Amino acid sequence: MTNTPFRYAAPSDECDLIMKGGITSGVVFPRAITELATRYRFMHIGGTSAGAIAAVMTAAAEYRRQSAATADEKNAGFALIDAMPKELAANLPTFFQPSAETAPLFRVGMAMVRTQGNKVVAAALETLRVFHLALLLAALPGLALIVAGIAATDWALGILGALVVLIGAMAMLTYQLYRAVAVVLPAHDFGLCSGLTQPGAKKPAFTNWIAERIEAIAGPVRSDGEARPLTIGDLDRYEITLKSVTTDLSSRRPYELPFGDRVHNYRKSEFERLFPPSIMSYLLKESKPRDIVGPDGVRDYYQLPPARKLPVAIIARMSLSFPGLIRGVPLYRYDYSLRAAARRDPSTHIRCLFSDGGITSNFPIHLFDGLLPGRPTFGISLASYDPRRHGEDEDGSGGSRVHLPRRTAEGKATPVYPVEGLFAFVGAILDTARNWQDTLQSQLHGYSERIVEVRLDDAKEGGLNLDMDGETVNFLSMLGGKAGDVVLKNFDFNEHRWRRAMTMLPTLSESLRKLSNRYMEPATERRIDYPAILTEYDPTGLVGVTKADRLALNELTQKLAAIGAELDRRPIPPPSSQKVDLRITASMDTNPRGANPPRPDTPPAPNQ
């Protein structure tokens, strides 16, 4: 089937897919997706930032494959993704369109990105070019003094004029930079680009393009006959799960998208600056107006619709708000840590700024994991290419640029990156804080052999290289295709299941052994034993558990403790020196209201 024009129409297997964030590095993903699509049906799809864009495109193509009636239509969505590299090569530099107010700072930033020399010098020269009129205006009084001094042959007056020119220009430059960074950028929610096409632009900006591409890939009409944006509910109908990550800077935590609750509201006036009319008209139709007056006296608050009615384009945009470059997405919720929130006091309805998911989890490889896998969850990771580690790519074929670990010794060695200079120091802190968990998780047996790594030259490929030329984009797309091909040829699902079992089961064994020891501990004068805790103790919290459920929990614990006691007599040693923890951790889907939120006078609409 893969050699016919309908190469995507009839996949033989199922898989899940996670893709890493990386701004323009996302040009790697289309060909990797379409290679995998020749064999696999995508069941669960996720990613962060640029990986979230690839995830929604994949979900749209899978929706069309599952909902279409003919082989031609089943094939069409992935065929459009396969053709996407040519479109990206032609349009990528125009995707990032600053507003008129943020354009000066955008130009300075782009000068730093583009230069192969000293970035500080490049930024300084571009700053002078950007603000030259303001600098000239500030220099006019000094220039007048210089002219007067020359006319009167008064050198002291000329020197004074030169000092006035220098001081005036420096003061104006300081003011302009301060205003751009401390006033204009915060007013645009800390992003130079909103994502919407700007007036006068001949090509779409990235949010307009994302919305248009999703609908083209999914098909213009939904399976219920409606012509509307593709939603989470449309995917659910065909058992397609889409997830991403966003970061709420105001709450200092990540969120899993789509939201699992309905505590967030948005303002129409703010969302219209972020989403195209096609998304806004549908969103307003499905959203519930809120009786809330803004600080400006305007009532334009709406409750986000339930997840099943949320357009998938919003998922991509909320995960993509790269700090400084792409504007954050504002949402509102009541702050239940404030006492007045129980009364729906307007002062407790707080603006939350959502930024890039990569701040907290740039490669959420854990999203769809169970203890033992029933189908593979592939990861497409992005890394920095280093010939000293990876070998030379002498013929340009990308042979050393794509890697899928096969031996257990591969993929677990942690590289060392020297920290040289202030910028490298700050960058290392930020990179470590946001990536260490994903990095260590990706090195584990049972994980590493399903993650294909695509290595990019940071100086000119991916990342913040916003104006890559067509040749570079096509090369990265080729690497993506090679990544998909490597997975198809080299991934061994049975070997993966074996390694996962050997990583998980000894760890579970040790946890059960410890559980048994705790459960069997006898009561003391100040502490009752666990059988009594589970069956007789009178709690003050989580009091809704029935007597029958408590007995069932104790019976379960007894059985687990019996297994642990047997393991205590005959422990199962781990087959690897890798250290693994099995523990309870908070989910990114945790309700921000807390476990037991105060009951408001007017309860919010139920989660649908």
Side-chain angles (χ1 to χ4, degrees), residues 20-26 29 48-51 322 356 362 382 456 462-464:
K20 190 174 185 177
I23 316 179
T24 64
S25 304
F29 296 131
T48 300
S49 192
F322 188 81
D356 196 279
N362 204 36
L382 304 168
L456 310 183
L464 284 170

Side-chain angles (χ1 to χ4, degrees), residues 154-191:
D154 186 344
W155 296 110
L157 187 60
I159 292 172
L160 176 62
L163 288 173
V164 171
V165 168
L166 181 62
I167 293 171
M170 290 183 64
M172 178 59 75
L173 184 61
T174 301
Y175 167 74
Q176 292 292 345
L177 287 174
Y178 170 81
R179 184 177 180 278
V181 174
V183 178
V184 174
L185 191 61
H188 288 75
D189 287 327
F190 304 95

Side-chain angles (χ1 to χ4, degrees), residues 34-315:
T34 55
E35 283 297 318
L36 293 174
T38 60
R39 180 182 301 172
Y40 291 100
R41 173 189 172 178
F42 298 107
M43 302 296 294
H44 294 77
I45 313 151
T48 300
S49 192
I53 298 176
V56 300
M57 301 296 181
T58 307
E62 191 60 66
Y63 166 82
R64 191 167 187 172
R65 178 157 67 178
Q66 298 305 317
S67 61
T70 67
D72 191 18
E73 274 295 299
K74 289 178 180 293
N75 192 72
F78 286 108
L80 285 174
I81 292 179
D82 194 60
M84 197 174 288
K86 182 181 295 186
E87 186 177 1
L88 292 171
N91 297 315
L92 185 63
T94 65
F95 281 169
F96 300 91
Q97 300 178 13
S99 66
E101 296 85 356
T102 61
L105 202 56
F106 181 81
R107 284 178 56 186
V108 173
M110 286 301 296
M112 294 179 65
V113 170
R114 289 174 178 145
T115 185
Q116 298 297 314
N118 189 301
K119 294 187 179 298
V120 175
V121 172
L125 292 175
E126 187 62 28
T127 300
L128 294 176
R129 282 190 285 267
V130 166
F131 298 116
H132 70 278
L133 290 178
L135 294 177
L136 181 60
L137 182 64
L140 283 177
L143 291 173
L145 289 175
I146 292 174
V147 172
I150 293 173
T153 64
D154 186 344
W155 296 110
L157 187 60
I159 292 172
L160 176 62
L163 288 173
V164 171
V165 168
L166 181 62
I167 293 171
M170 290 183 64
M172 178 59 75
L173 184 61
T174 301
Y175 167 74
Q176 292 292 345
L177 287 174
Y178 170 81
R179 184 177 180 278
V181 174
V183 178
V184 174
L185 191 61
H188 288 75
D189 287 327
F190 304 95
L192 301 174
C193 306
S194 70
L196 287 187
T197 305
Q198 296 301 299
K202 296 180 179 179
K203 293 185 178 181
F206 61 83
T207 304
N208 298 80
W209 179 82
I210 289 169
E212 292 167 5
R213 284 293 86 196
I214 289 171
E215 302 316 313
I217 291 169
V221 179
R222 305 284 77 84
S223 56
D224 57 9
E226 293 188 33
R228 52 171 171 74
L230 184 70
T231 66
I232 293 295
D234 294 322
L235 302 180
D236 288 344
R237 181 174 296 187
Y238 296 97
E239 299 182 320
I240 304 166
T241 299
L242 173 68
K243 289 189 180 296
S244 186
V245 178
T246 186
T247 303
D248 180 1
L249 298 178
S250 306
S251 301
R252 311 295 197 268
R253 56 161 288 184
Y255 273 90
E256 189 176 288
L257 294 171
F259 293 117
D261 50 56
R262 296 188 65 196
V263 302
H264 291 99
N265 305 313
Y266 68 92
R267 293 197 74 172
K268 174 177 178 287
S269 55
E270 291 178 330
F271 262 39
E272 285 176 334
R273 303 187 196 117
L274 299 175
F275 297 100
S278 60
I279 298 295
M280 285 304 304
S281 60
Y282 172 80
L283 193 63
L284 291 169
K285 176 184 173 184
E286 299 295 340
S287 299
K288 175 183 176 182
R290 305 310 301 264
D291 188 20
I292 300 170
V293 181
D296 54 3
V298 178
R299 295 176 185 266
D300 67 342
Y301 290 88
Y302 293 81
Q303 185 181 31
L304 277 178
R308 61 186 174 83
K309 293 187 176 182
L310 194 69
V312 299
I314 292 179
I315 302 291

Side-chain angles (χ1 to χ4, degrees), residues 417-420 422-434:
Y417 301 100
V419 179
E420 300 172 344
L422 178 61
F423 290 112
F425 176 69
V426 174
I429 291 174
L430 296 175
D431 189 56
T432 303
R434 70 191 185 97

Side-chain angles (χ1 to χ4, degrees), residues 537-543 596:
Y537 173 67
D538 185 17
T540 60
L542 306 179
V543 296
N596 291 292

Side-chain angles (χ1 to χ4, degrees), residues 454-467:
V454 182
R455 298 154 176 169
L456 310 183
D457 183 345
D458 296 333
K460 60 181 180 180
E461 298 171 352
L464 284 170
N465 293 290
L466 306 184
D467 53 356

